[in-house]
Amino acid sequence: MSGNGARGRGPQGGGHTRGDGMSDAGPLDLPSPRALAARRVLGNARAVTGLVLLGLLFLLAFAGPLVSPWGHDEIDFTAFRRPPSPEHWFGTTGSGRDVFALTVRGMQKSLLIGLCVAVLSTGLAAVVGAVAGYLGGWVDRLLMWGVDLLLVLPWFLVVAVLSPALGGRWPLLIPLLAAFMWMVTARMVRGMTLSLRHREYVLAARFLGVSTPRIIARHILPNLASLLIVDASLGVSVAIIAESALSYFGYGVRPPDTSLGTLIADGSGTALAYPWLFGFAGGLLVLIVVAVNLTGDGLRDVLDPAAPQHPRPRPRPRTPRRYGGRT
Amino acid sequence: MSVLTVRDLHVTYPPGVRAVRGISLEVGAGEVLGVVGESGSGKTALALAVLGLSPSGADVRGSVRLRGRELVGRSDAEMSLLRGRDIAMVFQDPLSALTPVHTVGDQIAETIRVHAGATRRAARTRAVELLDLVGIPDAPRRARAYPHEFSGGMRRRVMIAMAIANDPVALVADEPTGGLDVTVQAQILDVLRVAREATGAAVLLITHDLGVVAGVADRVMVMYAGRAVETAPVDQIYHRPRMPYTIGLLRSLPRADGTVRPVPIDGAPPSASAPPAGCAFAPRCPVALARCGDTVPEPAPVGPGGHRAACFNIEATADLDAVFPHRPAARRPEAPARHRRPVVLQVEDLVRHYRQRRGGPVHAVDGVTFDVRAGETLGLAGESGCGKTTVLMEILRLARPQRGRITVFGEDTAALAAADRKRLRRDLQVVFQDPFSSLDPRMRVADILAEPLSAHGMPGPKIQLRVRELLGVVGLQEEHACRYPRGLSGGEAQRVGIARALALEPRLLLLDEPVAALDASVQAGVLELLDELRARLGLSYLFVAHDLAVLRHVADRVAIMYHGRLMEIGAASAVYQRPAHPYTRALLDAVPLPDPLRERKRRRIPLQGDPPDPFAPPAGCRFRPRCPRYTALRNDALRRRCETSDPALHVLDPSVDRQVACHHAEGAK
């Protein structure tokens, strides 16, 4: 529909456009929402710390192999299970492989799997939950039926059965893991959407003729942001752990390739005797989770409208009177 | 001899919010002191401090004495011995103040046993007596009911019964009628009078509503920004107010008798975290002097009966009209007669029943017919639960109703395609009650106003121009554009809501209680804006309100709704001056007048009972169970008519624009 305000409508139609002494009708000088959000993220100490830490971890994971003298699949037959030394920065494994090379290689996998799975599964949960909750009716029933079905499937077995089909293509693990992680969140999102869809600002948008996808994208999802961010940051660690469990049983990332989970699993049995086999991989996993959670908390604060944004925050004057039951 | 004495009380909430800034007051035995203030004036903080219930972290200074005993600084354990026995409170929200898992009888008995050490049996008997005293029918049986089994009005009664259980010497009532329908409000005020007579307690009645105070209070204290700006006997406050704020507050009240138009006070109350150096009202005061801005005026005697006002320019306030003069109504363009104007909205025999998991269907709307013609305002009034909001929602859905027909600008909503519906939405817009919940908290004002424009495909640069224009139309500044809703005051937020509704240049606005959540002084400003917009933009309004006083000033025609049906509809002047339906009459009778003399003299026919549950309506006339006219009927044949036949809307007098659904309407032959 092309409605550009130029509607023929009797003598009163033009009445709206008579401004009240607002002769200089230039465009409003508003910072764009994106620039505003970026500025606020940069002003938040936690978000900045988290993002910088995350950046450093990525740098380590992807630049590490370039500076390491050893490759992750090379074997030093002169050094078996040696502690960290100038030759082998993080020491070596029982089979003579360089732990630094293995760890950064594993971090590449874990970072990508963790972040991608979390974003993907939370995104899927948000869309499915919000659509089901907002539309209701048979769409809701159908989607929730699918959610319940996925919930009762033993995901580990399914992934294990499908895993030979993946061959060596480990990135396929990402959609596979994400496909089994979103259901509980989707149910939560649906529940919260059910209460949001009767909010007056959602009704107002509907009565203004705003389309359904746009209402979900602009009114429902932003108001669930806190939940979604928390869910995504928790999802990162869950995904990394799920991947390591799969790898432990030989279904995920396969040798000679490796992931943090595999390294931790391999090293955990001898963690006290040979701490470098376990400590570096474990410590970096902790750092990843801390960085993600700091970023998540920071983003949540930034997106929260209750956070002070104006020089003079005013207490909200509203009378408690409320008449008329609304259904 | 005063029972409750407060001296120079200061309450500060962290972080540095100065809620109460030096209040002194005295209340004698059997006296009612009305404390009136808008939201944020510190009246609730005062009540909590008097009871020693200030939240932890609050800094309370000064003195509160109950019969000479100092209360400030006592430990919570000591206060617990006093609270409920010597001083009691009636809370605003009885649903959260009563425990849902105990019967009300047990809860009242418990207060008696804790303080008076009565036996279980004696306490129970007394609880039943108290419930009877506050007017709960069939008290022995109802004492065994749980709070959720009571209606809102009945729960208030229980609260009052509990408060007076131990014959307290002082009673603090915080908004005891907040959120109640006028009919129930009148009943509760009566109960409060009974409670005061039964106990002889000193009553501190805290409310935002000057109308409530007029009929109940002996003296009134007006609060503004944490200070008492004027204290006087009730007649003085209403007839000879001297502080400009009091004058403005009184003049901003809409009156059901429609004698004068409400005058808004411009501006908004100051922030409690940074109160101004001088008189807090100075920035909004039309008669402020230079020194008002930097020195705080102390309350000084200005009249008989201990009338004190805190104002430097007391000479200027002798003539009320010099302070807040009455403004003339917005000039309406000469309109042709009603029957010549086109119908913009027609609702015919609209029905909306909700199905329930348990029990029968809810008859929210049960056959409603009315029309709105171009350029007029139809006011739709009724108690909560009568279905007025449902009517609005049914119209806004622009879909086929369960039964009946809705025609918007000549188009039947049942036959609309999706594209037609979207096109029609431009002409039909809505403004909601609570400005804060109707604005997305995560969007800036500019984005909120831009949303409808971009949804209807307006290009970006044009949207910016239109947003700026809309801000001007509703009297907001450009700096508001980049604020979030929480950075706005109530009045500003509602203006944003109105601007959003106007964005698409609609011809018909549906207003759902647009001023009910606003303070009186702000309310008048929004009403004035709506009036002006209607005249200037040629709009038509369907104005839903519970407050007949507000409707008196905006509506050309009014429709009174009860239990899903219209009881009376017609020209506002006719309905207000000579209400033909007993329900209309009862509603009008229950509206408190901000005038103590007339309030005391008023001959009232109080409406008994609560607003009905919208389940199956009774046989015959649905208003019959509460109808005073039916009760007064002596003739069995006449009564039977009410019991068996459901009255339809009919014209009483062809010369007057009015229809009534009553077998025994006033003025009928």
Side-chain angles (χ1 to χ4, degrees):
Chain A
M1 200 184 90
S2 74
N4 289 356
R7 288 191 296 161
R9 138 184 321 172
Q12 314 134 346
H16 292 270
T17 45
R18 302 285 94 84
D20 288 2
M22 308 224 14
S23 46
D24 57 326
L28 285 163
D29 185 24
L30 280 180
S32 81
R34 233 171 254 138
L36 206 68
R39 206 189 308 152
R40 273 198 263 131
V41 170
L42 294 180
N44 184 293
R46 276 200 282 189
V48 171
T49 318
L51 283 173
V52 167
L53 197 57
L54 214 53
L56 289 176
L57 288 166
F58 263 96
L59 193 70
L60 179 66
F62 288 91
L66 305 177
V67 296
S68 164
W70 295 89
H72 73 278
D73 45 1
E74 286 175 333
I75 293 174
D76 183 355
F77 290 103
T78 64
F80 295 109
R81 212 170 270 159
R82 287 289 163 80
S85 65
E87 176 72 7
H88 296 284
W89 300 336
F90 285 5
T92 58
T93 66
S95 52
R97 292 166 75 184
D98 184 68
V99 177
F100 178 79
L102 284 174
T103 308
V104 292
R105 177 80 186 177
M107 246 173 80
Q108 292 180 5
K109 305 279 174 312
S110 291
L111 274 174
L112 285 176
I113 290 178
L115 289 174
C116 294
V117 168
V119 169
L120 213 61
S121 78
T122 304
L124 190 62
V127 171
V128 172
V131 167
Y134 185 75
L135 293 180
W138 65 268
V139 178
D140 181 30
R141 278 200 292 279
L142 197 70
L143 287 174
M144 286 305 113
W145 180 78
V147 163
D148 290 342
L149 187 76
L150 279 176
L151 271 174
V152 297
L153 278 187
W155 69 273
F156 198 91
L157 279 181
V158 174
V159 177
V161 168
L162 287 178
S163 126
L166 298 183
R169 289 161 296 174
W170 65 268
L172 288 177
L173 268 182
I174 292 173
L176 207 55
L177 280 175
F180 286 100
M181 271 180 54
W182 58 276
M183 292 85 71
V184 175
T185 316
R187 276 208 161 270
M188 276 195 312
V189 169
R190 170 183 173 267
M192 292 177 74
T193 306
L194 283 181
S195 70
L196 279 179
R197 77 167 176 177
H198 291 298
R199 293 280 168 88
E200 285 174 349
Y201 58 81
V202 175
L203 288 179
R206 224 169 82 201
F207 296 147
L208 285 164
V210 181
S211 63
T212 303
R214 206 159 152 152
I215 290 179
I216 291 177
R218 292 202 54 173
H219 294 290
I220 304 277
L221 292 181
N223 283 291
L224 296 174
S226 302
L227 168 81
L228 297 177
I229 289 170
V230 170
D231 182 70
S233 31
L234 290 177
V236 172
S237 18
V238 172
I240 292 176
I241 290 163
E243 179 273 328
S244 64
L246 278 175
S247 302
Y248 184 79
F249 288 102
Y251 298 124
V253 178
R254 295 184 171 181
D257 217 337
T258 188
S259 71
L260 281 189
T262 320
L263 291 174
I264 292 168
D266 289 349
S268 61
T270 52
L272 293 177
Y274 311 107
W276 61 90
L277 290 182
F278 171 82
F280 290 109
L284 283 168
L285 178 62
V286 169
L287 271 185
I288 292 174
V289 173
V290 166
V292 166
N293 280 320
L294 276 176
T295 315
D297 283 359
L299 280 180
R300 202 187 51 195
D301 290 351
V302 164
L303 294 175
D304 188 357
Q309 285 143 6
H310 303 285
R312 300 173 287 106
R314 218 179 295 174
R316 199 156 124 166
R318 57 190 291 197
T319 43
R321 283 164 84 119
R322 216 186 136 78
Y323 291 79
R326 200 152 279 108
T327 41
Chain B
M1 159 75 194
S2 73
V3 173
L4 184 69
T5 314
V6 176
R7 285 273 163 272
D8 199 30
L9 187 74
H10 289 260
V11 181
T12 307
Y13 291 142
V17 177
R18 304 193 54 194
V20 177
R21 303 185 294 148
I23 291 272
S24 300
L25 59 87
E26 283 182 6
V27 201
E31 186 186 34
V32 178
L33 175 68
V35 176
V36 178
E38 293 178 284
S39 49
S41 64
K43 53 191 196 303
T44 298
L46 169 70
L48 293 177
V50 165
L51 289 156
L53 288 173
S54 293
S56 59
D59 180 25
V60 181
R61 284 185 204 166
S63 148
V64 176
R65 284 172 182 274
L66 185 66
R67 285 197 298 196
R69 290 161 77 193
E70 181 60 50
L71 301 187
V72 173
R74 275 180 194 259
S75 73
D76 197 49
E78 286 175 301
M79 280 306 292
S80 296
L81 289 178
L82 292 175
R83 275 197 301 260
R85 191 185 67 199
D86 293 339
I87 186 164
M89 179 153 188
V90 180
F91 288 96
Q92 178 175 4
D93 180 5
L95 197 53
S96 58
L98 294 169
T99 313
V101 295
H102 293 293
T103 64
V104 298
D106 284 349
Q107 292 186 53
I108 298 174
E110 189 190 5
T111 28
I112 300 169
R113 289 178 59 213
V114 164
H115 289 291
T119 64
R120 193 177 287 263
R121 180 186 295 260
R124 280 213 60 103
T125 320
R126 174 94 179 109
V128 171
E129 280 170 27
L130 284 165
L131 287 175
D132 195 46
L133 177 72
V134 295
I136 298 219
D138 196 8
R141 194 178 57 83
R142 295 298 279 165
R144 288 196 298 275
Y146 290 89
H148 70 266
E149 300 174 69
F150 288 83
S151 66
M154 286 294 159
R155 278 199 289 264
R156 301 280 160 135
R157 290 171 191 258
V158 172
M159 285 287 304
I160 295 173
M162 201 189 255
I164 61 173
N166 290 304
D167 279 332
V169 293
L171 197 61
V172 179
D174 185 9
E175 299 272 9
T177 60
L180 292 178
D181 285 305
V182 278
T183 52
V184 184
Q185 171 173 306
Q187 296 169 10
I188 294 300
L189 290 176
D190 279 339
V191 175
L192 264 182
R193 279 187 208 106
V194 169
R196 177 189 48 170
E197 275 153 31
T199 59
V203 181
L204 199 58
L205 174 69
I206 290 168
T207 176
H208 67 278
D209 192 338
L210 272 167
V212 166
V213 172
V216 187
D218 303 305
R219 284 190 306 129
V220 177
M221 181 173 100
V222 180
M223 278 184 80
Y224 188 76
R227 281 178 193 277
V229 293
E230 184 158 10
T231 312
V234 66
D235 294 347
Q236 288 277 327
I237 280 280
Y238 288 89
H239 296 300
R240 299 220 49 77
R242 296 306 295 273
M243 164 72 197
Y245 174 64
T246 317
I247 298 170
L249 204 56
L250 279 167
R251 297 236 152 166
S252 67
L253 282 182
R255 298 168 69 120
D257 51 12
T259 44
V260 283
R261 279 166 52 79
V263 184
I265 309 177
D266 294 326
S271 147
S273 43
C279 172
F281 188 61
R284 301 170 77 187
C285 182
V287 295
L289 304 172
R291 64 179 161 145
C292 292
D294 39 58
T295 324
V296 178
E298 289 302 322
V302 291
H307 187 170
R308 299 166 82 85
C311 184
F312 287 129
N313 199 0
I314 214 74
E315 295 80 31
T317 61
D319 177 14
L320 306 188
D321 280 321
V323 188
F324 284 101
H326 291 293
R327 301 187 194 178
R331 214 162 41 80
R332 298 211 176 125
E334 287 296 311
R338 179 173 148 76
H339 64 273
R340 297 238 180 87
R341 279 175 280 146
V343 175
V344 292
L345 170 70
Q346 185 149 29
V347 173
E348 287 162 273
D349 199 29
L350 178 69
V351 170
R352 173 72 185 170
H353 293 178
Y354 289 104
R355 258 180 307 182
Q356 286 208 316
R357 290 253 170 83
R358 278 182 295 173
V362 173
H363 297 235
V365 179
D366 211 12
V368 163
T369 303
F370 62 83
D371 61 353
V372 179
R373 284 180 188 258
E376 74 180 11
T377 301
L378 175 68
L380 187 59
E383 291 169 291
S384 55
C386 72
K388 49 194 195 301
T389 297
T390 310
V391 170
L392 222 60
M393 290 299 145
E394 285 298 297
I395 298 169
L396 281 165
R397 276 196 323 133
L398 291 182
R400 180 192 295 276
Q402 273 176 348
R403 226 172 35 232
R405 199 146 74 120
I406 301 173
T407 317
V408 183
F409 301 108
E411 299 188 58
D412 188 340
T413 56
L416 287 177
D420 294 327
R421 194 168 292 133
K422 186 164 177 180
R423 175 175 49 75
L424 212 53
R425 292 223 180 278
R426 308 189 66 154
D427 289 325
L428 174 77
Q429 276 308 314
V430 61
V431 176
F432 288 104
Q433 170 181 21
D434 184 342
F436 288 103
S437 67
S438 67
L439 303 178
D440 189 333
R442 290 186 186 254
M443 287 167 77
R444 290 174 302 176
V445 168
D447 301 325
I448 290 171
L449 295 182
E451 182 169 44
L453 300 169
S454 59
H456 285 268
M458 192 187 262
K462 263 185 145 174
I463 290 181
Q464 297 276 303
L465 290 178
R466 180 78 180 129
V467 167
R468 163 184 284 218
E469 193 178 277
L470 284 168
L471 287 172
V473 166
V474 296
L476 290 174
Q477 308 302 313
E478 240 168 73
E479 52 133 353
H480 289 108
C482 50
R483 293 222 198 136
Y484 284 82
R486 64 174 296 278
L488 303 171
S489 70
E492 286 166 349
Q494 194 57 294
R495 281 167 197 266
V496 173
I498 294 171
R500 175 177 58 188
L502 292 177
L504 297 169
E505 303 183 19
R507 289 183 284 170
L508 171 63
L509 271 193
L510 307 189
L511 304 153
D512 185 11
E513 304 263 14
V515 294
L518 304 177
D519 279 320
S521 70
V522 179
Q523 188 176 336
V526 173
L527 287 177
E528 199 170 66
L529 171 72
L530 286 172
D531 209 28
E532 181 207 318
L533 289 174
R534 188 182 70 154
R536 216 175 70 203
L537 309 178
L539 302 171
S540 316
Y541 291 157
L542 174 58
F543 195 117
V544 168
H546 70 277
D547 190 340
L548 285 169
V550 166
L551 279 187
R552 182 75 180 104
H553 295 279
V554 293
D556 303 307
R557 305 180 78 228
V558 273
I560 308 290
M561 206 169 162
Y562 184 79
H563 209 329
R565 274 286 173 81
L566 291 190
M567 296 288 116
E568 183 163 1
I569 181 170
S573 52
V575 173
Y576 277 85
Q577 274 156 26
R578 287 182 310 282
H581 196 283
Y583 181 58
T584 315
R585 162 134 303 200
L587 276 184
L588 281 169
D589 273 352
V591 178
L593 276 179
D595 184 338
L597 282 179
R598 289 175 58 191
E599 184 69 18
R600 267 176 249 141
K601 264 190 271 171
R602 260 166 107 185
R603 187 180 54 87
R604 277 216 170 109
I605 309 169
L607 196 53
Q608 294 309 310
D610 293 311
D613 287 332
F615 295 104
C621 173
R622 49 192 69 205
F623 182 58
R624 177 171 51 86
R626 295 173 77 191
C627 182
R629 202 165 292 164
Y630 167 77
T631 324
L633 287 177
R634 289 283 161 259
N635 184 329
D636 270 354
L638 292 178
R639 289 177 81 115
R640 198 158 308 121
R641 208 165 155 218
C642 293
E643 284 154 20
T644 52
S645 129
D646 192 358
L649 278 177
H650 56 273
V651 178
L652 282 184
D653 175 357
S655 69
V656 184
D657 165 29
R658 176 175 44 199
Q659 289 170 283
V660 188
C662 179
H663 294 307
H664 310 289
E666 241 168 79
K669 286 164 196 100

